[in-house]
Amino acid sequence: RKNEAKDNYAHALGMMPELFLQKNAKDEKAEVITDAGKLLNSSFTKTELDNLLILAYQERSLNLLQENDKKQAFKDIEKALKMDSLNSRSYTIRGIVYAMDGDFQNSNKDFEKAEKLPKERNYEYLYLMRGLAAAEAENFGQAVYYLDKAIATNPQNPSYYAEKAHILFEIDSVEEALQNIDKAIALNPKEAEYRLDKIGYLYGDEQIDKVLTEAEELLKLDPDTVEVYYFRGMAHLAKNNLKQAKKDLEYFLVFYPDDQEAQKALQSIK
């Protein structure tokens, strides 16, 4: 069960590398995973340990980015790069950190390095991240270009179509955005988030009847998707169905009491 054990250690390391490292008092370098050999009745090689630690810093850097802690995320990915300066995935992640910090010049440099280095290179992930970074820089043409490359590497991944739809809607290509979100839904019809995105695009394009139809379909699939009550309420308001609009908006505001648009709409009804 060695591979299973490695996977579990990697997951734990991703949350807190230091907990699973025993430091050498002389040089303070990470040497071994505590008790790993005893548990498995076999030892990890130094290469295996190094690879686990690199993965740990990569994963924790990504976790920190989700919390918008760019400073610490940068420190962690720098540690990974010091251990292995030829790791494509580490450059991809540092490229994301730079992009989130608005440094698109260094971001592109890292993405270009990641594309050239063979070790741990994942074109699918790289193109997705480069597309999202380009969108962050409001370079929407390049963003769509790299999303298309990600789709070409794995046309069965619905999230790529959904991300592309976000970008297309941002530049007012509503018809293309709807085509792409429909592809995402076709690949994963049970994902409520994709259907909610579609409703948002339809509402933004003032296709009110379709908003109502899609809202009913989504609520059948997942009645706990609270956000849909906002769109259904606003759609009913647009059609002057004030009683239902009031009901939907009041329900939405229970969960999102600070939403100003919903507050204004409800006040207009009252």
Side-chain angles (χ1 to χ4, degrees), residues 124 127-133 135-136 140 143-148 150-151 157-171 176-177 180-185 193-194 197 201:
E124 188 177 329
Y127 293 144
L128 173 65
M129 292 300 107
R130 194 161 191 182
L132 296 179
E136 187 76 15
F140 297 114
V144 171
Y145 170 77
Y146 281 109
L147 261 297
D148 280 338
I151 289 168
N157 190 319
S159 66
Y160 298 165
Y161 296 101
E163 293 292 354
K164 184 181 175 183
H166 292 164
I167 295 165
L168 289 166
F169 186 74
E170 191 74 20
I171 57 176
E176 287 186 82
N180 277 272
I181 201 63
D182 278 339
K183 288 178 182 177
I185 292 169
E193 194 65 34
Y194 299 154
D197 285 344
Y201 302 151

Side-chain angles (χ1 to χ4, degrees), residues 108-219:
N108 282 326
K109 285 181 180 179
D110 273 357
F111 287 139
E112 287 168 7
K113 285 181 183 177
E115 194 163 358
K116 293 173 183 176
L117 293 171
K119 190 172 182 180
E120 297 295 326
R121 182 174 58 198
N122 182 335
Y123 283 121
E124 188 177 329
Y125 182 68
L126 171 60
Y127 293 144
L128 173 65
M129 292 300 107
R130 194 161 191 182
L132 296 179
E136 187 76 15
E138 298 186 356
N139 189 341
F140 297 114
Q142 191 179 57
V144 171
Y145 170 77
Y146 281 109
L147 261 297
D148 280 338
K149 294 191 78 168
I151 289 168
T153 60
N154 185 0
Q156 298 304 309
N157 190 319
S159 66
Y160 298 165
Y161 296 101
E163 293 292 354
K164 184 181 175 183
H166 292 164
I167 295 165
L168 289 166
F169 186 74
E170 191 74 20
I171 57 176
D172 295 325
S173 296
V174 179
E175 186 175 345
E176 287 186 82
L178 288 168
Q179 289 171 359
N180 277 272
I181 201 63
D182 278 339
K183 288 178 182 177
I185 292 169
L187 287 167
N188 190 356
K190 292 184 179 181
E191 177 53 65
E193 194 65 34
Y194 299 154
R195 293 178 180 271
L196 188 64
D197 285 344
K198 182 177 181 179
I199 291 168
Y201 302 151
L202 290 168
Y203 178 74
D205 198 43
E206 298 182 356
Q207 299 187 43
I208 300 303
D209 288 334
K210 289 185 178 180
V211 168
L212 291 171
T213 300
E214 292 291 336
E216 295 304 322
E217 290 298 315
L218 176 50
L219 287 172

Side-chain angles (χ1 to χ4, degrees), residues 11-176:
H11 181 68
L13 283 165
M15 294 183 284
M16 181 56 70
E18 290 78 8
L19 286 176
F20 288 83
L21 295 172
Q22 181 175 308
K23 293 189 174 182
N24 184 306
K26 293 180 181 179
D27 59 14
E28 295 188 352
K29 290 182 179 178
E31 295 293 333
V32 295
I33 295 178
T34 308
D35 293 330
K38 294 177 184 177
L39 285 170
L40 302 171
N41 293 319
S42 61
S43 62
F44 284 88
T45 67
K46 186 177 186 305
T47 300
E48 289 172 333
L49 287 170
D50 285 345
N51 288 338
L52 279 175
L53 186 54
I54 290 166
L55 175 63
Y57 285 126
Q58 290 173 340
E59 292 302 317
R60 193 167 70 170
S61 181
L62 290 170
N63 290 339
L64 287 162
L65 283 179
Q66 289 182 347
E67 299 169 8
N68 204 34
D69 189 348
K70 298 184 286 288
K71 186 176 180 180
Q72 186 59 49
F74 185 83
K75 288 180 180 179
D76 275 351
I77 202 60
E78 283 284 283
K79 291 176 183 177
L81 282 165
K82 283 180 181 178
M83 293 187 70
D84 184 0
S85 62
L86 301 177
N87 190 298
S88 174
R89 188 168 187 259
S90 292
Y91 280 106
T92 300
I93 294 170
R94 194 172 71 173
I96 300 166
V97 179
Y98 278 131
M100 288 185 66
D101 206 33
D103 187 349
F104 300 109
Q105 184 176 358
N106 278 321
S107 176
N108 282 326
K109 285 181 180 179
D110 273 357
F111 287 139
E112 287 168 7
K113 285 181 183 177
E115 194 163 358
K116 293 173 183 176
L117 293 171
K119 190 172 182 180
E120 297 295 326
R121 182 174 58 198
N122 182 335
Y123 283 121
E124 188 177 329
Y125 182 68
L126 171 60
Y127 293 144
L128 173 65
M129 292 300 107
R130 194 161 191 182
L132 296 179
E136 187 76 15
E138 298 186 356
N139 189 341
F140 297 114
Q142 191 179 57
V144 171
Y145 170 77
Y146 281 109
L147 261 297
D148 280 338
K149 294 191 78 168
I151 289 168
T153 60
N154 185 0
Q156 298 304 309
N157 190 319
S159 66
Y160 298 165
Y161 296 101
E163 293 292 354
K164 184 181 175 183
H166 292 164
I167 295 165
L168 289 166
F169 186 74
E170 191 74 20
I171 57 176
D172 295 325
S173 296
V174 179
E175 186 175 345
E176 287 186 82

